[in-house]
Amino acid sequence: MNLNDIHRGIHKYKARKRVGRGKGTGLGKTSGRGHKGQGARAGWSAPPTFEGGQMPLVRRIPKRGFHNRFAATVAIVNLAELEKAFAANEEVNPETLRTKRIVRGQYDVLKVLGDGALTKPLKIAAHRFSRSALEKIQQAGGQAVVLPGKAPVQKKNTKSE
């Protein structure tokens, strides 16, 4: 191999496939569609779940559950992650979490969970906090600030009076 051979055969644009232009091209007569059948007909294309006519797997498996499209997407952060990433008396908010790449992507609500230990005081701003997270933040001498935005989910009282 020589240096001048590196780009040989590599072209910027791929030529359009010209079908039905004689059998010498290899794409003449049936134009690469085979003989008869629905794949040979004009305008037909298989759906992604098509399995040759048998009952597709998508339809054989029972459907369960429900996905709420309107539910808030919740990004979760554990105290163990905050313990590693932040120094004492540092401020933790959605912007600092994004810059330190602890939280990525889009979300509606940021929730802090109490997994792990917190040994240094931190001022943590989030939309929601678990009970254990609140206790551990206060024990470490930190502060939990509830951010405005999506309203926290209130558990309904199930006891009938």
Side-chain angles (χ1 to χ4, degrees):
M1 176 186 251
N2 295 323
L3 201 56
N4 63 333
D5 291 338
I6 290 175
H7 295 295
R8 186 159 292 160
I10 297 173
H11 303 287
K12 193 169 183 181
Y13 299 105
K14 188 175 179 182
R16 183 174 63 92
K17 187 193 281 190
R18 296 181 71 225
V19 296
R21 295 295 183 273
K23 62 182 177 181
T25 63
L27 292 169
K29 196 184 173 214
T30 54
S31 303
R33 289 174 168 264
H35 291 279
K36 301 182 182 176
Q38 60 195 123
R41 306 289 180 241
W44 186 85
S45 62
T49 57
F50 187 71
E51 295 183 19
Q54 75 176 5
M55 184 60 70
L57 184 68
V58 172
R59 290 182 61 195
R60 278 180 275 162
I61 294 173
K63 311 300 181 277
R64 296 282 184 268
F66 168 75
H67 182 71
N68 186 0
R69 312 187 302 179
F70 305 105
T73 52
V74 180
I76 56 170
V77 179
N78 281 300
L79 290 178
E81 295 174 78
L82 301 180
E83 175 74 22
K84 281 187 222 169
F86 292 93
N89 298 319
E90 211 172 335
E91 195 165 317
V92 180
N93 56 39
E95 290 78 36
T96 57
L97 290 170
R98 198 173 294 267
T99 55
K100 294 200 179 202
R101 293 179 168 247
I102 295 170
V103 174
R104 297 178 187 200
Q106 290 186 327
Y107 59 90
D108 297 317
V109 175
L110 176 66
K111 184 168 183 174
V112 179
L113 302 180
D115 188 30
L118 189 65
T119 58
K120 45 195 159 193
L122 294 171
K123 183 180 179 183
I124 303 170
H127 299 97
R128 296 180 192 167
F129 293 89
S130 67
R131 279 197 199 104
S132 61
L134 278 172
E135 289 169 8
K136 289 179 182 180
I137 292 166
Q138 289 165 354
Q139 283 175 358
Q143 187 181 356
V145 179
V146 178
L147 293 173
K150 293 257 183 186
V153 175
Q154 297 293 322
K155 291 184 180 174
K156 294 179 181 172
N157 190 0
T158 54
K159 294 178 185 175
S160 58
E161 295 177 27

